[in-house]
Amino acid sequence: MKTFALPDLGEGLAEAEIVAWHVAEGDHVVADQPLVSVETEKAVVEVPSPQAGRIARLFGKPGDRVLVGAPLAAYEEGVHADTGTVVGELSAASPTPSPRTRQGVASPIVKATPVVRALAREHGVDLAQVTPSGTGGTVTQEDVLRAAKALPGAGGGEPLKGVRRAMALNMARAHAAVVPASLFDEADVEGWWTQGADVTLRLARAIAAGVTASPALNCWFDALRMERRVHAQIDLGVAVDSEEGLIVPVLRNVGHRDTGELRRELDRLKAMVRNRSVPLESLRGATITLSNFGTMAGQYAALIVLPPQVAILGAGRISPRNFQGNSGVGFRHVLPLSLTFDHRVVTGGEAARFLRAAAEDLQRPA
Amino acid sequence: MAELKMVQSINLALARAMEEDARVLVLGEDVGVDGGVFRATEGLLGRFGADRVLDTPLAEAAIAGLSVGLAAQGFRPVAEIQFTGFIYPTIDQLANHASRLRTRTRGRLTCPMVLRSPAGGGIRAVEHHSESPEAMLAQIPGLRVVIPSSPLKAYGLLLAAIRDPDPVVFLEPTRLYRAFMEETPDDGAALPLDSCFIQREGSHVTLVAWGAMLRDALGAADLLAQEGTEAEVIDVATLKPLDEATILESVAKTGRCVIAHEAPLTAGFGAEIAARLAGRGLTSLLAPVERVTGYDTVMPLPRLEAAYLPGQDEIAAAARRTMSYK
Amino acid sequence: MTVRFEIGFTRYLAPNGKLVPGLPPFAADAKTIIPLYEAMVRARVFDAKAVALWRTGRLGTFASSLGQEAVAVGAASAMQETDVLLPSFREHGAQLWRGVTPVELLLYWGGDERGSDFKGPRQDFPVCVPVASHVPHAVGVALACKLRRERRAALCILGDGATSKGDVAEALNIAGVWRLPVVFVINNNQWAISVPVSRQTAAETLAQKGIAAGIPSLQVDGNDVVAVRMAVAGALERARTGGGASLIEAITYRLADHTTADDASRYRDDADVSPHWLEEPLIRVRTFLTEAGLWSKKDEEHLLQETTAEIEAAATAYLGIPTQNVSTIFDYTFEKLPEDLVTQRQHALGRRVQSAAPPAVQS
């Protein structure tokens, strides 16, 4: 920066007071252009710029006293940037986005006017399935109406909500992820079974026995992280059929609570399901699930494993059969067992050991 | 009450406006002594004097500019531009000043001026006398563009334009000046601006037009009626601000629309209407919107003029296409 | 028939503050001359403040009138209150004299339409950006005065570049042939951005373009506020009393760049500019006043301090004014908002509004 000092103003003065600046920092000035008015004894005089240039700095403000020889203004050196305009501001170039390459051929949109589309929606007709008869391959109203007539049960559908909707979504997700395998067996329950026996609780105990023998079935699997977490505690999801659909409340810690307590808990949960008042926490966190579908109908079933669980035990209808058991041949009541497990996580051996232990427990008279 | 041609009804409206409001002035080239080259201002000088009817030098930009000055000072100047071929120099004053004086001064100064000019072809005139610049003008914010389609419309719309507190460009279809007559009562009744008019009701197809093309649209409607197609005919009248509601309601009923204008196709005002239909009117449309327009060329000289100008046959054909579209 | 023409040139105050013979009496009258000087100083201080605000990103592009204060102040001071001013964009001194406030000027150049809603001179026209397009407006205003038979005139100030435009020829012509009460003042600062007047026209003077329109036309030293005031006052009085139009070319020099975004050193040498500082309008008046015993050091100091304080206060006030509501983009388009614009206004109000900060600082 080139600095310009307050020149000798004559009158034998050593200093002068700044009255007003006539230029500002950044201004371009020419030689002889007044920079500032200063007050001397006799007058207010203008101090002209000694040179042309751009003011980088001004020293002092109005009211300040400046000594002769002290810096008054400093000039920039070097070339000033060109604004490239006389009005407004042109912003600096920003990188242009690179052109996107074509992403491959998408299937062309079916040609139909908006009115026709609305009609198709209304009738549940998929335009892509309709043969177009209009100019240039356009689907016409007649085409849509024709297609609608051909649809079975054409009419309004019932949208799924609540529990049913959740089931549809969850089962689809499970199906997409789990690799299921099933193992079937039977347990001879003649030793303890009577009409009013508490089958569910015996099944819960059997599952506990199975988990003891084969802890791998009581775990959660995180497919994304490829991690499994084997649980010490058994929180048993118990499938309950309700008006709304399938609900699975969770019986906590079945491995270490006594039967009476578990029975009371289960009854409470079932009542809440009936009243539609089961809280959300009671539906979460099952480590393994039991479906006692046999109370209604059916013997064996390949049930759906619900991630992050890895196993589900199904119990079919207890029926008397001509059974060759340990205690000999004869009509004995038999409980069919179906174990479906996620073969990504559980081996056949683990599953078999579980099932054997569960069946053995069920065969004990008490 | 008299049967008047459009040029006469314009004359009537001007006289009426000048009678009612001392602030109304008429100015332009040859408007005074000669009564205007089309006689639109006939008799006004004699009746109102040289302080109210001014023969200007040949200076379109200045005519528009001094109208701005007059209007800002509280007069209501009605400036005539002899032909729309000469309207282009006024666009500077219209776009840069007349249309924005109110907003740029926050309402302190306003510009209640009218610029009127004979527009459109079909009069077998020399070059540059057949222009249709309405779309160009319609895009200017703050400016109204009004086009009458009949003597009665011209009377009522011109009165409305003169009384309006903001600038209006009033494009008078030259070929309608003497084409037909209509009962036009001198009752001082203005027609509403910013409003379309339904000239004919129908439920099969909507024909939208303005100015001289309206007669062609009505002619097309008659042709279509003979075939059992009932067309609804809309006269837009005020292009800007556009009364889209009337057009949308009509197309909601008919599902089909043909827009007709003399001006060239691309970026013509029909494109604006078509865009509105494709927007808020999309789900009503049973067929693509048709535009029947001039070509994207200069209007040919008189020998070929008829090959350029669209007419009722073209409009009817377009309507039939919409009817048969599947 | 041979027709000759003559363009007179008038000056009373030379650059050194010395008088030329024939000084009009008002020039010696402190009550008249001192306000002219004060107004020129005010214009200059305002101008410098505007440039400073632009430089710190708090004002938009600004057209400085540095060195041209005498044309603006001299011309405007000759107007009566009921006359109408139509400036171009470099007559801040004229607008300030007419009662436009510094805050209003800052609002305009800062990008707020309220700056053109003058609370003072209600009929004056706002700044005109499209060069020369306001000159026909002046003719319209003058016509209005004449039709109403009022003792009023229009004063239109335009630049040297403007005189090349068709609008000016048309307007001068109509003003002449209709004998309208309008005075055209050419603020000839000798530069139209980068084009010097010698490359703007082959005419020896700009004033003679008025001769072509049949209008009395003359030249004055535009840096001599006395000469400008004299000439314009005479022309306005003639106009108001039915004498018709006049054209006055006031010769000055653009000491600043065309605008704050322009860099004049690209097309003119700094060395060519420097001598013009010696002819600038404020110094010669001050010298004259001081030597006439009408102005003292204390007066000068006092004026500078007071004016600086006033302009600083105006800048502070301007910076504190919040941006208008987004709806004002629409509200003044027509007297009554049509449907379309009501919808568009709603849309605009629903958008996330950009920060109302003034333009960013330039690099």
Side-chain angles (χ1 to χ4, degrees), chain A residues 5-357:
Chain A
L6 181 66
D8 185 354
L9 304 164
E11 309 178 22
L13 294 167
E15 61 176 22
E17 179 181 314
I18 296 177
V19 182
W21 284 104
H22 299 301
V23 298
E25 286 169 9
D27 281 358
H28 168 244
V29 302
V30 299
D32 295 331
Q33 179 168 352
L35 294 178
V36 62
S37 283
V38 297
E39 187 194 346
T40 66
E41 282 276 324
K42 301 213 186 103
V44 173
V45 297
E46 272 132 8
V47 179
S49 173
Q51 63 169 84
R54 200 163 287 275
I55 303 288
R57 244 194 95 179
L58 297 174
F59 299 88
K61 28 180 222 317
D64 287 352
R65 303 201 73 82
V66 184
L67 294 171
V68 170
L72 202 55
Y75 296 80
E76 276 176 22
E77 311 216 70
V79 181
H80 196 78
D82 178 12
T83 60
T85 179
V86 290
V87 278
E89 313 136 39
L90 274 48
S91 45
S94 51
T96 42
S98 46
R100 301 192 65 194
T101 49
R102 296 183 125 232
Q103 304 263 354
V105 183
S107 49
I109 299 175
V110 173
K111 292 195 218 173
T113 64
V115 167
V116 170
R117 289 182 197 284
L119 195 64
R121 265 197 303 277
E122 199 187 318
H123 288 269
V125 170
D126 177 4
L127 281 175
Q129 305 303 321
V130 179
T131 313
S133 73
T135 351
T138 318
V139 175
T140 68
Q141 289 195 53
E142 286 81 10
D143 295 337
V144 168
L145 292 171
R146 222 184 323 110
K149 276 211 199 77
L151 278 179
E158 172 206 336
L160 293 182
K161 293 184 188 141
V163 176
R164 282 208 180 270
R165 185 181 170 81
M167 179 173 78
L169 292 168
N170 290 333
M171 293 304 178
R173 254 181 242 132
H175 178 72
V178 172
V179 179
S182 297
L183 208 52
F184 306 102
D185 208 341
E186 298 168 317
D188 178 353
V189 299
E190 189 66 40
W192 58 268
W193 188 80
T194 60
Q195 263 303 336
D198 194 339
V199 179
T200 309
L201 266 299
R202 279 304 299 260
L203 284 165
R205 201 183 86 181
I207 285 173
V211 169
T212 306
S214 202
L217 273 74
N218 189 50
C219 88
W220 281 347
F221 176 55
D222 182 335
L224 270 171
R225 289 200 190 82
M226 288 296 273
E227 284 174 5
R228 71 171 183 164
R229 188 168 11 140
V230 177
H231 294 289
Q233 174 168 312
I234 306 169
D235 288 341
L236 182 66
V238 179
V240 175
D241 183 57
S242 79
E243 256 175 43
E244 297 177 301
L246 173 66
I247 297 187
V248 189
V250 182
L251 212 50
R252 306 277 173 205
N253 200 9
V254 298
H256 291 100
R257 290 162 77 189
D258 77 48
T259 320
E261 204 190 314
L262 286 173
R263 171 39 62 182
R264 280 189 297 279
E265 175 81 10
L266 187 57
D267 286 341
R268 202 169 55 82
L269 286 169
K270 283 187 174 173
M272 285 199 287
V273 167
R274 274 193 302 276
N275 297 336
R276 299 178 191 200
S277 63
V278 62
L280 214 52
E281 319 89 67
S282 301
L283 295 174
R284 287 202 180 125
T287 58
I288 188 169
T289 300
L290 166 68
S291 174
N292 190 6
F293 59 85
T295 54
M296 287 178 284
Q299 293 187 292
Y300 298 101
L303 298 172
I304 313 297
V305 175
L306 290 166
Q309 299 169 56
V310 300
I312 178 167
L313 184 72
R317 193 164 45 81
I318 297 173
S319 57
R321 234 149 349 103
N322 208 354
F323 188 71
Q324 171 127 30
N326 295 335
S327 3
V329 177
F331 273 98
R332 301 183 70 74
H333 282 84
V334 162
L335 174 68
L337 293 167
S338 310
L339 175 68
T340 305
F341 59 95
D342 188 342
H343 213 327
R344 295 176 297 169
V345 195
V346 175
T347 68
E350 286 161 344
R353 278 193 290 282
F354 174 95
L355 198 55
R356 185 179 59 205

Side-chain angles (χ1 to χ4, degrees), chain B residues 189-210:
Chain B
L191 284 171
L193 295 177
D194 309 353
S195 225
C196 293
F197 299 89
I198 300 184
Q199 295 298 122
R200 185 187 194 282
E201 286 185 12
S203 54
H204 296 145
V205 59
T206 303
L207 307 179
V208 180
W210 53 86

Side-chain angles (χ1 to χ4, degrees), chain B residues 239-307:
Chain B
L239 266 59
K240 234 283 280 301
L242 179 66
D243 168 19
E244 71 168 23
T246 300
I247 300 174
L248 288 171
E249 266 163 40
S250 174
V251 177
K253 187 172 61 168
T254 64
R256 300 178 177 85
C257 189
V258 178
I259 308 164
H261 60 69
E262 236 179 82
L265 173 73
T266 300
F269 201 73
E272 177 62 34
I273 297 173
R276 309 266 183 135
L277 287 169
R280 278 185 272 248
L282 186 67
T283 49
S284 305
L285 289 170
L286 298 171
V289 174
E290 290 263 352
R291 286 182 292 163
V292 174
T293 71
Y295 302 108
D296 285 330
T297 70
V298 176
M299 170 97 62
L301 292 186
R303 281 197 181 190
L304 279 173
E305 196 178 45

Side-chain angles (χ1 to χ4, degrees), chain A residues 19 24-28 30-34 37 39-44 46 52 54 82-83 85-89, chain C residues 48 51-52 55 61 66 193 257-259 261-263 265-266 270 273-274 277 283 286 297 300-301 304 359-360 362:
Chain A
V19 182
E25 286 169 9
D27 281 358
H28 168 244
V30 299
D32 295 331
Q33 179 168 352
S37 283
E39 187 194 346
T40 66
E41 282 276 324
K42 301 213 186 103
V44 173
E46 272 132 8
R54 200 163 287 275
D82 178 12
T83 60
T85 179
V86 290
V87 278
E89 313 136 39
Chain C
V51 172
R55 197 165 288 298
T61 312
L66 187 64
I193 308 188
D257 298 333
H258 168 67
T259 60
D262 176 45
D263 179 3
S265 63
R266 287 170 59 83
D270 290 338
V273 179
S274 296
W277 272 104
I283 293 181
R286 191 175 69 227
K297 166 188 138 171
E300 179 69 13
E301 213 183 308
L304 283 172
Q362 291 206 24

